[in-house]
Amino acid sequence: MEQNNLAKNLSALRRTMELSQEKAAEAVGVTRQALAKWESGETTPDVLHCDRLAELYGVSLDDLLHYEQKPSGFPPPPRGKHVFGVAQMGERGQIVIPKRARELFNLSHGDALVVLGDTNPGTAGIALVPAQFFANMLELANQVQQDAERKEAEL
């Protein structure tokens, strides 16, 4: 475990959650001074306190300890979420999905992805979803609708 990553992550996560050192320390059962020393890298919390801190901030223990902010500039993401870095768009709109993302999601050349978008302020963004997953969700939605229509017809 690199203490520097832990200290940076503790500080960034607390600020992201908009918690004072006092509130964060109270939530994990330590003094503000102890938390301040952890955030400065002067000392390191024991494993039980690390576990409580990971729970408080909603991140995995592994990310709390090892996540390196340098590549992305972001604090550790919530459990199950990932920051893979930045992908630049080419002239014709093409992007390269980072290797780590391709490996994690078992993506390979020729796989079909559905591009989804949200233009609402505050949630705007683009998402890529494997086409098979999207097709399965549509099939499930159709089944639910058909079941509802059958039940209504029976009444």
Side-chain angles (χ1 to χ4, degrees), residues 43-150:
T43 62
T44 303
D46 63 33
V47 70
L48 294 176
H49 286 110
C50 283
D51 188 52
R52 289 184 197 147
L53 287 160
E55 191 67 32
L56 172 67
Y57 297 136
V59 299
S60 72
L61 185 56
D62 185 56
D63 277 346
L64 180 67
L65 298 173
H66 302 289
Y67 183 83
E68 189 174 346
Q69 294 181 37
K70 265 187 192 175
S72 66
F74 299 108
R79 275 187 202 94
K81 308 295 182 190
H82 303 273
V83 177
F84 296 108
V86 176
Q88 283 193 309
M89 187 165 49
E91 275 184 39
R92 297 180 51 202
Q94 70 275 26
I95 62 167
V96 175
I97 297 172
K99 181 180 179 186
R100 189 167 155 246
R102 293 191 313 266
E103 290 172 350
L104 182 65
F105 292 100
N106 198 28
L107 298 173
S108 58
H109 176 76
D111 285 350
L113 301 171
V114 176
V115 180
L116 304 174
D118 181 346
T119 58
N120 293 312
T123 60
I126 296 174
L128 301 174
V129 180
Q132 188 57 51
F133 173 80
F134 195 71
N136 292 345
M137 293 304 293
L138 288 175
E139 185 179 318
L140 180 61
N142 285 335
Q143 286 177 342
V144 168
Q145 183 178 1
Q146 289 171 359
D147 289 347
E149 288 171 358
R150 268 193 290 267

